[in-house]
Amino acid sequence: MTIQYIDRPEQLPLLCEQIQQEPWIALDTEFLREKTYYPKFCLLQIAAPGWVACIDPLAIADLSPLFEAIYNPDIIKVLHSCRQDLEIFFQITGRIPGPIFDTQIAAPLLGFQENPGYAMLVSSFLNINLNKAHTRTDWTQRPLSGDQIQYAADDVIYLCKIYTLMCQQLEKLGRLDWLESDFALLNNPELYQLSPENAWLKIRGKNKLTGRQLSILQSLSEWREQTAQSENKPRNWLFPDDMLLELAKLQPVNLTDLGKIRNINERSVNRYGKILCELIDAARQRPPKPLTEKDRSGKKTQQHEAVMDVLSAVVRIRAEQNSLNPVILATRKELEQLLFGDPDCPLLHGWRYNMAGQELQGLLQGHYSLSLTPDSVAINPVTSAQ
């Protein structure tokens, strides 16, 4: 298949016309972000049955006509593990190009493990082993070689074929519409932008801090996110998470104390030390934002473990009935999320809610009961006494 390499604005109208004629297109991006906060958009690949194009955003300053075509709501956008690709679209346009079909999200409904890699799907559906020669390519460098362009184009060429086969199999199983709400969740802008004031929520270990320590962590996390964004640097280049936790615990009040902390970066101390000490001092004087119920939950008791064993039994039953691996339907961690009322639990959304989550919630709320025989477990609605 001939690859259209688009690196001049006058080439865009014909490509946009091609896109508008398709019911769906496959999309992929190449980018770099090892040295930046925001991904550096280097290449966009688009394909549909019969054609493929690679668009060079480093050569074309204004891609708005192309985005207008891609964002057509009548055209399904097919991607694999789409979060970082959609982050780039959101960064440029402030919008998400729905509707979306993510093959990584869909694959478990066909018996694959959770979050399967693209290479696994290509091998399983097409019996092709992906060429990994350009995995570490610096996509900012120009000109791109023919091999690099072919490597990038192959991703969407194969994605087209996988999508077609996947839809056929999902439709045969009656599961194609199960994914609609899962894909709809991908339109949430909060997935692609982290507000600095909420950056602390991403740090593991925050639930072990005291009130004053938590207030300091929240303040330092917000500052780090703002600084990383404004300087376009990876946040961990400023201070990694474990260093923020250490600062929250030790609470240095001056540059001398700050410099004594083990493994702290001297250059960062020289550049940011004064503001860090000021932030720590101010945060010590105010109460922290409260932890969520999920983070507040303490160590599980034996009763909690027993309840999760019961929930797990229901998961195994429903998974077997639908020819799924139980881990795809719900992991032990996700059952814990459900038990402690985490609204982000996957069992409360999409096809998992319809298959098992609603029943599991009903069990926890006393609306269902279990009855046992040596060979089976039955789930029964609880009827009110007359």
Side-chain angles (χ1 to χ4, degrees), residues 189-260:
E190 293 181 6
L191 293 175
Y192 313 103
Q193 59 178 0
L194 179 60
S195 58
E197 60 269 23
N198 292 328
W200 67 280
L201 294 169
K202 299 289 187 180
I203 298 181
R204 294 182 179 179
K206 58 186 175 294
N207 58 317
K208 298 179 181 179
L209 300 180
T210 65
R212 179 179 291 178
Q213 292 171 343
L214 183 59
S215 179
I216 292 171
L217 178 71
Q218 291 166 346
S219 181
L220 295 181
S221 300
E222 181 174 356
W223 167 84
R224 183 183 67 169
E225 202 69 22
Q226 290 172 335
T227 305
Q229 290 175 355
S230 64
E231 298 183 5
N232 196 22
K233 293 180 179 178
R235 62 178 68 88
N236 282 336
W237 279 25
L238 301 175
F239 294 96
D241 289 357
D242 57 354
M243 183 55 65
L244 292 191
L245 289 166
E246 193 73 5
L247 290 171
K249 294 172 184 176
L250 296 178
Q251 303 175 30
V253 296
N254 53 49
L255 294 179
T256 301
D257 291 344
L258 193 62
K260 292 178 181 178

Side-chain angles (χ1 to χ4, degrees), residues 92-133:
I92 295 171
T93 69
R95 297 182 293 131
I96 307 300
I100 297 159
F101 186 104
D102 189 322
T103 54
Q104 186 177 69
I105 293 175
L109 289 183
L110 295 175
F112 288 88
Q113 66 184 40
E114 192 172 15
N115 299 323
Y118 183 61
M120 176 187 292
L121 295 190
V122 173
S123 176
S124 298
F125 279 98
L126 308 176
N127 196 28
I128 293 172
N129 293 322
L130 284 180
N131 178 4
K132 299 181 180 180

Side-chain angles (χ1 to χ4, degrees), residues 51 76 101 130 134 159 185 208 225 243 253 255 262 277 287 295 316 373-375:
W51 62 268
I76 297 170
F101 186 104
L130 284 180
H134 299 287
L159 190 57
L185 292 174
K208 298 179 181 179
E225 202 69 22
M243 183 55 65
V253 296
L255 294 179
R262 184 179 178 184
C277 292
D295 292 315
R316 288 196 295 272
T373 70
D375 299 317

Side-chain angles (χ1 to χ4, degrees), residues 1 3 24 27 37 71 86 89 114 138 144 149 180 185 203 205 212 239 243 254 290 298 304 318 324 329 338 374:
M1 187 184 303
I3 301 170
W24 58 268
L27 296 175
Y37 180 91
Y71 277 65
L86 295 182
F89 284 99
E114 192 172 15
D138 181 351
L144 295 174
I149 294 171
E180 289 179 1
L185 292 174
I203 298 181
R212 179 179 291 178
F239 294 96
M243 183 55 65
N254 53 49
H304 289 145
R318 293 296 176 241
L324 290 177
L329 181 53
L338 183 71

